[in-house]
Amino acid sequence: GSNDPNAPRYTTGCILHVTGIPASTKSASLRSLFEKFGLIRFVEFTEGNDAAFVRYREPAPVAAATAAPAMTVGNSGPGSRP
């Protein structure tokens, strides 16, 4: 740990690792899906990848998202656009 008083401070437990993301998923769709659990600071996701990191402002949304049943991005079937 750094003793630098100007170093950024992060609350632990605020990052959700999401896997199994379909290649056609758009970043905005992913954000929309997970923001229902709480306020998001940022989503680290490159379209076409099958994983992302969602950083919330506090840990509670991570617990809620983890406890939720498996989710599907969008509400359409294969080959559809979000």
Side-chain angles (χ1 to χ4, degrees), residues 7-82:
R9 298 186 189 275
Y10 298 103
T11 303
T12 59
C14 294
I15 298 176
L16 177 68
H17 184 215
V18 182
T19 59
I21 300 170
S24 62
T25 301
K26 302 294 181 196
S27 187
S29 298
L30 198 60
R31 176 179 277 277
S32 176
L33 182 67
F34 285 97
E35 68 187 355
K36 66 184 175 184
F37 295 106
L39 295 173
I40 294 175
R41 283 195 184 267
F42 69 86
V43 176
E44 183 179 327
F45 174 65
T46 301
E47 292 178 8
N49 283 352
D50 67 347
F53 292 96
V54 179
R55 177 180 280 280
Y56 288 97
R57 293 186 183 272
E58 57 189 23
V62 174
T66 302
M71 297 180 284
T72 302
V73 177
N75 54 8
S76 307
S80 63
R81 292 182 171 162

